[in-house]
């Protein structure tokens, strides 16, 4: 590809524009939906876009979305593209630290490329799940805890995760409540306790 053929990319731009939610001030809200659209765009464009081609994509975004939101999204697109290139390089290096430390380095790379606020919002779901996983592994592999303590800590961790996922709109409140009741039953809670 010459990096100049943008028409085929219009579909990806359209997807990005469709994914955008605006807050009450008309600013773009970076979230999971925007991240998925940016990701699809990156997959479609590949890692070799020229600076000129990126500018063309940004022009299409500004044309499709007027005002400060269009500007913001055009900037996020460029930052995200550059982040993905840096991430590919980062993931290509030998890992010489724990998976949790490696993940935190990746989080720092995202924040450095995209700005802390945008990165944290775009990757909120991934960060929530990633940190949950590392915390769960840390509990399971902690030799100083009894099995009961491990179970109690895992349950507390799961509740925290469910609260976060509820807040992000990724967990159905009914499902969360049903899961909580199941956990209480497993712990031998009476029906009166559960009802309370």
């Amino acid at each position: 590809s010459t990096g100049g053929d943008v028409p085929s990319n219009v579909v990806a731009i359209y997807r990005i524009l469709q994914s955008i939610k605006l807050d009450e001030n008309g600013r773009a809200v970076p979230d999971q939906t925007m991240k998925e659209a940016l990701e699809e765009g990156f997959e479609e464009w590949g890692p070799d876009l020229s600076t000129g081609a990126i500018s063309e994509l940004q022009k299409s975004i500004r044309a499709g979305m007027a005002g400060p939101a269009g500007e913001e999204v055009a900037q996020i697109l460029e930052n995200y593209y550059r982040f993905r290139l840096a991430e590919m390089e980062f993931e290509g290096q030998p890992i010489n630290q724990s998976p949790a430390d490696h993940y935190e380095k990746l989080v720092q790379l995202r924040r450095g490329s995209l700005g802390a606020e945008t990165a944290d919002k775009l990757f909120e779901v991934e960060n929530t799940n990633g940190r949950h996983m590392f915390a769960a592994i840390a509990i399971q592999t902690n030799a100083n805890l009894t099995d009961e303590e491990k179970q109690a800590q895992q349950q507390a961790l799961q509740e925290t995760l469910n609260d976060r996922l509820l807040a992000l709109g990724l967990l159905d409140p009914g499902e969360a409540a049903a899961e909580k009741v199941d956990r209480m039953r497993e712990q031998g809670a009476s029906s009166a306790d559960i009802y309370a």
Side-chain angles (χ1 to χ4, degrees), residues 27-59:
R27 310 295 298 256
V29 179
D31 62 5
Q32 180 70 10
T33 317
M34 185 196 283
K35 179 186 157 262
E36 283 164 11
L38 286 165
E39 190 52 41
E40 283 178 24
F42 184 80
E43 296 297 322
E44 210 157 292
W45 303 320
D48 303 316
L49 283 186
S50 65
T51 313
I54 292 176
S55 296
E56 286 302 314
L57 292 173
Q58 289 180 300
K59 267 189 210 150

Side-chain angles (χ1 to χ4, degrees), residues 19-115:
S19 77
I20 289 156
K21 296 179 193 68
L22 299 179
D23 66 14
E24 62 280 6
N25 302 316
R27 310 295 298 256
V29 179
D31 62 5
Q32 180 70 10
T33 317
M34 185 196 283
K35 179 186 157 262
E36 283 164 11
L38 286 165
E39 190 52 41
E40 283 178 24
F42 184 80
E43 296 297 322
E44 210 157 292
W45 303 320
D48 303 316
L49 283 186
S50 65
T51 313
I54 292 176
S55 296
E56 286 302 314
L57 292 173
Q58 289 180 300
K59 267 189 210 150
S60 306
I61 283 185
R62 290 190 196 101
M65 177 168 271
E71 264 321 310
E72 283 177 317
V73 177
Q75 191 55 59
I76 289 172
L77 171 86
E78 183 177 349
N79 293 350
Y80 186 85
Y81 190 82
R82 304 225 181 284
F83 155 68
R84 285 303 315 275
L85 296 181
E87 182 190 39
M88 285 164 73
E89 197 178 305
F90 172 75
E91 295 296 1
Q93 293 164 358
I95 296 179
N96 54 6
Q97 73 257 59
S98 76
D101 288 342
H102 181 79
Y103 187 75
E104 288 305 327
K105 281 230 170 69
L106 180 61
V107 169
Q108 292 314 314
L109 181 67
R110 287 178 193 147
R111 299 181 93 182
S113 306
L114 291 153

